[in-house]
């Protein structure tokens, strides 16, 4: 079906976007890559009166080095993020994760800001941003603010974003020298993750010094596997069995969804297995 | 103008010609039904039932009728002229046929049943207004499982029929005179220490053909004939069925299947959507269009398979089979499509596979449930049967500790035993199972993989290797009309073709089989080129239109080449026979002194000759014809096969099972087919690749799921997973050739081989990998969750036992 009729504007600055959203009221909706919004509109599961398109706001496409952080514009496409030299150098996990989303067509259109704002617990990018302690920059009628990833994701398709606010960028602390891997488990190649694990490790003196593990589709929001992260510290980097054993608890205590691709029990088991695989590959990837 | 010099000097048959039709099909610059726009055309939107079983207590159309752009809104009560949808196969005397109206009257029986139709000046306006139609339902209890539907206290899908049993049908070797009594043979086996009896209950998952182009219909009632364009496989059959059931006569209706984007049996149907577009166009006297969404397709276009198979196989301990008993429960869904009730029966002729079985019985119970009707899908009954026998052959091998290839070899029909009269009453014309199997084993490196498998087992590798085997035969080339008659099928099985010789030396082939992706325009041109010596490029195909191709039985059951192709060859040979007297006249020779070779008549012993294009021109001019000769070279032919076509082959799958995650990966797939003489090897390969991918889909990924209360929970391609190119290996195919003896070309069918052979090959492979872990069965699709759960269950059972 075609969407219900709506008005459409495509401003060129963030200020105009915020203005348009506030003029449009409750039913005004941001459209970025449209890869999640358009299906919703076409199935008539939403009928916004106004779409505010970000496509002409050039500043939102920028990816820049901000000292200790990398700042990725919300409008950067998955394709751009996955191939950008800065992202690959300082936040390899984000680049790898972006490269795993959907298929090439989706990656050329879908954006990092759209993925995070959409907050589908099966979406890939949330776990990676959480794992790297990333945060989101938002601008609204009352100005700009920064929200930590852990605070941004609130519930199933729900974020801390206030009505009228737009995500402008994702801020990722640089993880130079870390190894990372995004282990995504799907039933067919081009499908959403049954479960996925984002892992980043820092190795010092042959041992894991720090580990970060993010989980996709293991709850109503992306999650961190804190216990497994702790268990990994001090494990010999060359001992793959020990790495796997330490990561195996990644699914514990989670409450993942129950659907034809996986029962909660299966998903918890998978999370442990995939975390092990992700950590081993992350260790191998350490520069 | 074509001259002798242009005559192709090598035979076209056997060449991998690139497909003539691909440029337009692959770029989409073609006439898909939904691309058609007619002046004044209105668009339909259908209001479908969101519940699976209910009495309609009220439909309020006032708001919809007043909405902008709306031309009309109708409910079942408003269309007294609508006729019940037809069925084309009265399988048995006890068949119960529920009434299926294009627009539901009073009740709905599955999610997706059509309760109202809105016509508007644009598709958007129609969709908007359809959302305003307010339907109230009084919900009734549903029955979703075919076995539960047979229980005495089950809710009835159609209370007026008094039962959920749609029909029963059986055959056995005693009645057929082809073998012994199954029950006796099984009793004897049970009492015999030298025999084994294996009983298994297998399941066929419910799947959907998932054609790329959704169904689409345009009807234009504004000319001498009412014209319907439909994305159908069966324009000719559709015309007859609509004329028989709806308020239009056959001579008043023209049906056109323009380019059609895949069907796989899913468009072998007369649908309520087609009837509705026709009915509304007749009402409004305006052109009308309806194109379904994918979601509508999933909840209204027929599904397939969905069977419970209770199988009993008896065999001697040396592996020779002594009896096979098949007891099926087949899920019809809520209504009957044109072939719904008969699809499982087709399997009855194939459960014996390629084997010599001395006693056989087949019994099928067709059952109604509150789901979408099932009907034909690539293979139609035969993949189900092949799955049953080929899974059982592996079970037998395991039971007896034999190699699965060896156990098959001990039972299959030997090359010197053809033609072979089977226990199911068919006669297989030709085949050589040893040759195909030996070639497949060699390509596959069977011994090497067995060695690797042993290593992985020994080392407890988390990734286990399984080898899946399927040796199959397929009943194709529908169909000898007499056989269809004996099965109470509602039509003949012949095919028709005509050849039109144009004065410029070019040729139009009008064929009664209509393509929806198979490459007819290419393969048929190759056939005609060899018969008439006309260059491949100078031959064009006309098909899919009841006005330009008046006779035809359309495309399904792998019949286009083995039946349709024979009609074409027959028509071409008639052209030659008609040309001969004129050639003789022009060459001033006796017709008996003429030699004919691919397009050229030569006076024996001379170099004076006339080509078919020269004769075509002379015929058209008609200036110098022998007295009494009719000035026409065009010819037609109708071919009715005497037997079916029996393609065979051996498929071998190497599957890796990740025991930690349950994920199954197809590492290698080898198949060697015997499809007789190859007209176009590339097209044969394409048919095999596509069929395999769909068969792999059924085995590993695809499943139509309903919730207990009848909601379709796999209603989009996000939930109904079909394999993508990276999910399947690079297939390794080869062919062996034994000539079919049932047609003069020696060709056999190929279209359905992949969907037939792949599912058992893969499931056998997965089980081969997992048996050492204690897993004894797994249902399709073999999803990671299911495989992992099966491993867990087997482990805990083992743990419990120790
Ligand atoms: C076939 C298919 C397969 C896919 N597979 C995957 C997959 O495997 N993994 C995966 O992670 N994703 C997948 N996706 C989703 C894809 O990643 C989308 O790109 C992403 O979910 C949304 O990004 P977008 O830019 O397209 O956002 P849009 O669709 O434009 O917007 C999505 C939502 O976010 C809001 N929004 C967008 N941008 C902003 C902003 N800057 N500020 C505030 N709100 C905003 C919109 O209002 C809307 O509600 C798939 C999509 C499709 C169609």
């Amino acid at each position: 079906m075609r969407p219900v009729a709506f008005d459409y504007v495509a401003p060129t600055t963030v200020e105009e976007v915020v203005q348009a959203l506030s003029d449009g009221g409750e039913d005004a909706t941001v459209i970025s890559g449209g890869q999640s919004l358009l299906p919703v509109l076409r199935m008539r599961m939403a009928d916004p009166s106004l779409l505010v398109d970000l496509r002409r706001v050039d500043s939102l496409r920028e990816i820049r080095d901000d000292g200790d952080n990398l700042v990725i514009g919300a409008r950067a496409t998955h394709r751009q993020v996955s191939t950008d030299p800065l992202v690959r150098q300082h936040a390899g996990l984000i680049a790898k994760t972006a490269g795993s989303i959907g298929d090439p067509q989706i990656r050329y259109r879908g954006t990092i800001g759209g993925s995070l704002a959409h907050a589908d617990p099966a979406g890939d990018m949330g776990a990676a941003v959480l794992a790297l302690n990333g945060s989101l920059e938002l601008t609204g009628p009352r100005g700009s603010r920064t929200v930590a990833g852990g605070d941004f994701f609130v519930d199933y398709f729900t974020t801390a974003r206030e009505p009228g606010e737009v995500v402008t960028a994702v801020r990722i602390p640089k993880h130079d020298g870390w190894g990372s891997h995004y282990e995504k488990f799907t039933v067919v190649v081009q499908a959403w993750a049954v479960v996925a694990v984002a892992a980043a490790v820092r190795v010092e003196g042959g041992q894991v010094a720090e580990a970060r593990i993010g989980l996709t589709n293991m709850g109503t929001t992306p999650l961190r596997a804190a216990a497994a992260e702790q268990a990994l510290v001090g494990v010999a980097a060359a001992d793959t069995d020990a790495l796997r054993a330490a990561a195996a608890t990644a699914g514990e205590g989670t409450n993942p969804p129950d659907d034809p691709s996986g029962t909660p029990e299966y998903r918890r088991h998978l999370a442990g297995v995939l975390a092990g695989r992700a950590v081993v590959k992350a260790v191998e990837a350490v520069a | 103008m074509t001259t002798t010099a242009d005559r192709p000097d090598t035979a076209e048959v056997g060449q991998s010609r690139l497909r003539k039709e691909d440029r337009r099909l692959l770029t989409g610059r073609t006439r898909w039904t939904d691309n058609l726009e007619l002046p004044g055309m209105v668009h339909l939107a259908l209001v479908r039932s969101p519940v699976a079983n209910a009495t309609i207590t009220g439909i309020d159309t006032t708001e919809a009728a007043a909405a902008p752009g709306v031309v009309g809104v109708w409910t079942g009560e408003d269309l007294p002229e609508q006729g019940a949808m037809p069925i084309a196969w009265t399988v048995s005397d006890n068949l119960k046929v529920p009434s299926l109206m294009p627009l539901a009257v009073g009740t709905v029986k599955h999610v997706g049943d059509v309760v109202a139709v809105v016509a508007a000046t644009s598709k958007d306006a129609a969709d908007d207004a359809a959302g305003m139609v307010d339907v109230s339902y009084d919900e009734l209890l549903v029955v979703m499982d075919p076995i539960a539907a047979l229980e005495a206290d089950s809710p009835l899908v159609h209370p007026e029929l008094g039962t959920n049993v749609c029909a029963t049908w059986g055959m056995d070797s005693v009645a057929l005179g082809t073998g012994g009594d199954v029950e006796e043979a099984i009793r004897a086996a049970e009492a015999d220490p030298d025999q084994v009896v294996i009983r298994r209950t297998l399941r066929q998952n419910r799947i959907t053909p998932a054609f790329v182009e959704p169904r689409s219909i345009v009807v234009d009632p504004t000319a001498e004939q009412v014209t319907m364009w439909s994305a159908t496989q069966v324009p000719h059959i559709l015309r007859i069925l609509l004329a028989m059931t709806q308020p239009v006569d056959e001579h008043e209706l023209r049906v056109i299947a323009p380019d059609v984007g895949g069907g796989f049996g899913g468009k072998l149907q007369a649908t309520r959507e087609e009837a509705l577009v026709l009915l509304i166009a007749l009402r409004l006297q305006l052109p009308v269009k309806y194109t379904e969404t994918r979601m509508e397709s999933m909840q209204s276009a027929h599904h397939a398979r969905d069977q419970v198979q209770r199988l009993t196989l008896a065999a001697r301990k040396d592996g020779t089979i002594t009896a096979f008993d098949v007891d099926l429960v087949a899920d019809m869904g809520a209504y009957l499509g044109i072939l719904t009730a008969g699809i499982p029966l087709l399997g009855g002729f194939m459960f014996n596979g390629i084997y010599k079985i001395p006693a056989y019985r087949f019994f099928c119970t067709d059952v109604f449930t509150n789901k979408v009707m099932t009907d034909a899908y690539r293979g139609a009954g035969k993949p189900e049967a092949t799955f049953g026998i080929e899974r059982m052959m592996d079970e037998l091998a395991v039971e007896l500790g034999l190699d699965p290839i060896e156990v098959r070899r001990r039972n299959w029909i030997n090359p010197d035993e053809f033609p072979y009269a089977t226990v199911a009453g068919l006669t297989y014309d030709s085949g050589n199972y040893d040759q195909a199997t030996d070639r497949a084993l060699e390509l596959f490196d069977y011994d090497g993989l067995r060695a690797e498998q042993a290593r992985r087992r020994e080392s407890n590798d988390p990734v286990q290797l399984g080898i899946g085997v399927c040796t199959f035969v397929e009943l194709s080339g529908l169909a000898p009309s007499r056989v269809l008659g004996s099965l109470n099928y509602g039509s003949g099985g012949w095919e028709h073709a005509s050849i039109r010789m144009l004065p410029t030396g070019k040729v139009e082939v009008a064929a009664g089989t209509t393509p929806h992706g198979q490459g007819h325009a290419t393969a048929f041109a190759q056939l005609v080129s060899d018969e008439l010596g006309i260059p491949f490029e100078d031959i064009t195909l006309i098909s899919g239109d009841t006005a330009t191709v008046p006779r035809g039985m359309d495309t399904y059951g792998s019949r286009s080449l083995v039946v349709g192709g024979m009609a074409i060859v027959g028509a071409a040979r008639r052209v030659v026979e008609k040309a001969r007297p004129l050639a003789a006249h022009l060459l001033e020779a006796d017709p008996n002194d003429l030699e004919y070779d691919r397009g050229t008549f030569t006076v024996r012993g001379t170099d004076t000759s006339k080509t078919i294009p020269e004769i075509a021109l002379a015929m058209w001019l008609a200036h110098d014809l022998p007295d009494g000769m009719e000035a026409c070279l065009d010819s037609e032919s109708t071919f009715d096969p005497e037997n079916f076509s029996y393609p065979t082959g051996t498929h071998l799958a190497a599957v890796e099972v990740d025991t930690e995650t349950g994920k199954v990966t197809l590492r290698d797939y080898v198949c060697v087919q015997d499809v007789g003489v190859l007209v176009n090897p590339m097209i044969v390969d394409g048919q095999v690749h596509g069929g395999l991918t769909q068969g792999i889909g059924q085995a590993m990924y695809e499943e139509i799921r309903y919730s207990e209360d009848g909601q379709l929970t796999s209603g989009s391609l996000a939930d109904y997973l079909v394999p993508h190119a990276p999910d399947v290996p690079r297939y390794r195919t080869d062919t062996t050739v034994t000539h079919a003896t049932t047609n003069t070309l020696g060709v056999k069918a190929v279209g359905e081989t992949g969907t037939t052979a792949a599912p058992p090959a893969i499931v056998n492979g997965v089980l081969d990998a997992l048996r050492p872990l204690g897993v004894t069965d797994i249902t399709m699709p073999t999803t990671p969750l299911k495989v992992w759960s099966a491993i867990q269950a087997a482990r805990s059972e083992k743990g419990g036992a120790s």
Side-chain angles (χ1 to χ4, degrees), chain A residues 1-2 4 43-44 185-191 259-263 265-266 269-270 273-274 277, chain B residues 123-124 127-128 293 295 658 660-663 700-701 705 721-724 726-727 783-785 788:
Chain A
M1 257 196 275
R2 272 152 263 198
V4 172
M43 287 186 276
R44 299 198 167 180
F185 189 83
T186 58
V187 178
V188 289
V189 167
Q190 285 165 17
D259 60 37
S261 304
T263 57
E265 184 201 1
Y266 175 59
H269 163 80
L270 260 189
V273 172
L274 301 177
R277 294 180 184 181
Chain B
K123 179 64 178 160
D124 296 354
D127 284 341
D128 287 343
T293 62
M295 279 178 165
D658 181 339
E660 290 178 343
T661 64
K663 186 154 184 152
M700 293 174 62
Y701 307 116
R705 289 184 307 268
L721 301 179
V722 296
H724 299 71
D727 292 307
T783 60
L785 171 63
W788 181 78

Side-chain angles (χ1 to χ4, degrees), chain A residues 29-37 54 74 78 101-102 106 110-111 113-115 117-118 123-124 161 165-167 184 191-192:
Chain A
T29 299
V30 172
I31 180 164
S32 186
Q35 296 306 291
S36 292
L37 185 60
L54 304 183
H78 304 316
I101 293 175
I106 308 286
T111 66
S115 267
H118 192 55
D124 295 298
R161 186 170 70 90
E165 274 187 321
V166 57
V167 177
K184 182 173 177 178
W192 294 81

Side-chain angles (χ1 to χ4, degrees), chain B residues 638-653:
Chain B
T638 299
F639 179 78
D640 198 340
E642 279 170 16
N643 194 353
F644 294 96
S645 176
Y646 303 102
T648 76
T650 297
H651 289 217
L652 298 172

Side-chain angles (χ1 to χ4, degrees), chain A residues 118-121 154-159 219-221:
Chain A
H118 192 55
D120 185 334
V154 175
D155 203 347
Y156 204 64
F157 294 106
T158 309
T159 68
T220 56
T221 65

Side-chain angles (χ1 to χ4, degrees), chain B residues 540-561:
Chain B
T540 193
L541 175 68
I542 294 172
S543 63
D545 181 344
T546 60
T548 56
V549 188
R551 280 161 59 77
M553 281 291 181
D554 307 320
T555 297
Y556 43 85
S558 300
R559 64 192 307 277
S560 288
L561 177 62

